[in-house]
Amino acid sequence: MKEMMDHLVNTEINSQRIASVENCFGASGQPLAVPGRVLLGEGILTKECRKKPKPRVFFLFNDILVYGSIVINKRKYNSQHIIPLEDVTLETLPDTLQMKNRWMIKTLKKSFVVSAASLTERKEWLSHLEECIRHLLTKTGRQPSMEHAAPWIPDKATDICMRCTQTKFSTLTRRHHCRKCGFVVCGDCSRQRFLMPRLSPKPLRVCSLCYRQLMAEKKKEAEGDQKQPEQIDSSVTGYEPSSGDDSDKSDDDKLERWPADAEFYASEVSWSSFHS
């Protein structure tokens, strides 16, 4: 991997590949060409979003992971997200009825699940990601991150509030997500806001249980007590995590149509490629 990065770093083909990605995102994206950056691979992965799984285009560079929504494949993308690889940890996940070849991408600010079209493609993505992360951490002397944002439970995973277990969701009773534990909760169970600087400069919605825990932590910090408070279990058997902020925007209906899940996984087409 290092030899490949060294080989590509100052080549014209690498510059052309990065320029092509920038052009596809257009004015909506950030500049991606910086000294020493190499585009190592790209492909279509299914991303588990709040309301349903959706295809997203991913680009693996030697220092960042970039992804976005597909307007016209290989021609136009939007909703660009950039994730520094040194903040990333990975977790392989089992298949579900709807999603195969899954893994979770975890960072301090955001955690979400993606799915590759084949087991081979998942192995390639994980292998390249792990090597890039290892190279960056060695270079900076940093330790792998042990903390990460809680992935959101998808809306469809529950019809009732996961905290009070009483409120039923409907068109009038909205679902909300706690930014601390990722649970789907009702408005009454998530009235509080709490400032979590690692996630946002603004106070975020949290459920009543997490709010009590966060306030207890704040109080102990103020008292100079370094003991760790009891952690709230944010894992629930049977629920699969999703992305928090990724769009179920109405303009998704205008994006390029993609195969159904069964066709995506059964297709003989390779949805990802890695450069050499």
Side-chain angles (χ1 to χ4, degrees):
M1 171 71 79
K2 185 178 185 301
E3 291 77 10
M4 183 175 68
M5 289 191 280
D6 292 342
H7 168 69
L8 287 172
V9 66
N10 292 315
T11 62
E12 182 65 24
I13 186 66
N14 180 61
S15 299
Q16 290 173 357
R17 287 167 177 164
I18 294 176
S20 176
V21 177
E22 289 180 328
N23 290 337
C24 286
F25 279 106
S28 69
Q30 296 183 38
L32 298 172
V34 299
R37 179 168 289 165
V38 178
L39 178 58
L40 298 172
E42 56 196 83
I44 307 297
L45 300 173
T46 299
K47 184 171 179 292
E48 298 186 16
C49 300
R50 177 175 176 175
K51 294 188 183 299
K52 63 180 180 179
K54 296 181 178 180
R56 293 289 184 257
V57 62
F58 282 77
F59 299 94
L60 176 62
F61 296 83
N62 57 332
D63 61 336
I64 57 173
L65 182 66
V66 177
Y67 71 92
S69 300
I70 304 159
V71 182
I72 305 172
N73 193 31
K74 299 186 183 300
R75 290 178 59 190
K76 186 175 181 181
Y77 309 126
N78 61 20
S79 302
Q80 185 189 76
H81 297 260
I82 299 177
I83 302 173
L85 286 178
E86 59 188 332
D87 296 336
V88 170
T89 54
L90 306 167
E91 179 183 350
T92 304
L93 299 174
D95 290 354
T96 66
L97 290 175
Q98 294 80 25
M99 308 289 290
K100 300 177 182 178
N101 317 310
R102 303 163 65 240
W103 74 94
M104 190 187 300
I105 296 170
K106 302 188 284 188
T107 76
L108 280 172
K109 291 191 173 184
K110 179 184 176 73
S111 300
F112 57 92
V113 176
V114 292
S115 168
S118 69
L119 194 58
T120 299
E121 286 189 26
R122 180 177 75 171
K123 287 179 179 177
E124 287 183 323
W125 274 103
L126 288 173
S127 172
H128 283 81
L129 280 163
E130 287 168 353
E131 182 62 28
C132 286
I133 293 166
R134 188 160 48 245
H135 178 72
L136 279 171
L137 293 177
T138 301
K139 187 177 176 182
T140 60
R142 282 183 50 181
Q143 293 297 312
S145 178
M146 301 303 291
E147 294 183 72
H148 57 83
W152 285 17
I153 303 294
D155 285 4
K156 64 181 180 181
T158 180
D159 292 325
I160 61 171
C161 172
M162 296 174 68
R163 283 303 180 208
C164 69
T165 67
Q166 301 297 317
T167 302
K168 292 186 177 181
F169 298 120
S170 66
T171 51
L172 298 178
T173 306
R174 287 188 56 207
R175 291 169 168 84
H176 300 282
H177 278 83
C178 171
R179 268 58 170 183
K180 177 72 165 63
C181 66
F183 276 21
V184 183
V185 291
C186 65
D188 286 343
C189 288
S190 58
R191 292 189 182 279
Q192 293 87 357
R193 302 291 187 275
F194 196 89
L195 181 62
M196 294 179 281
R198 284 178 173 171
L199 298 183
S200 171
K202 298 179 181 180
L204 298 173
R205 179 187 295 270
V206 292
C207 69
S208 50
L209 196 59
C210 286
Y211 182 75
R212 290 197 296 273
Q213 182 200 30
L214 289 164
M215 288 301 293
E217 289 177 1
K218 187 176 180 180
K219 183 179 179 182
K220 288 201 173 191
E221 285 175 8
E223 294 171 351
D225 189 340
Q226 299 303 313
K227 292 182 180 178
Q228 291 294 315
E230 181 181 349
Q231 295 294 310
I232 294 171
D233 181 14
S234 62
S235 62
V236 178
T237 303
Y239 292 104
E240 293 295 340
S242 77
S243 164
D245 68 352
D246 210 5
S247 49
D248 287 285
K249 298 174 185 173
S250 57
D251 66 357
D252 268 11
D253 295 335
K254 302 173 186 175
L255 304 184
E256 183 170 313
R257 294 295 177 188
W258 284 89
D261 291 344
E263 295 170 358
F264 177 69
Y265 295 120
S267 171
E268 295 299 319
V269 176
S270 177
W271 292 89
S272 300
S273 62
F274 295 91
H275 306 311
S276 58

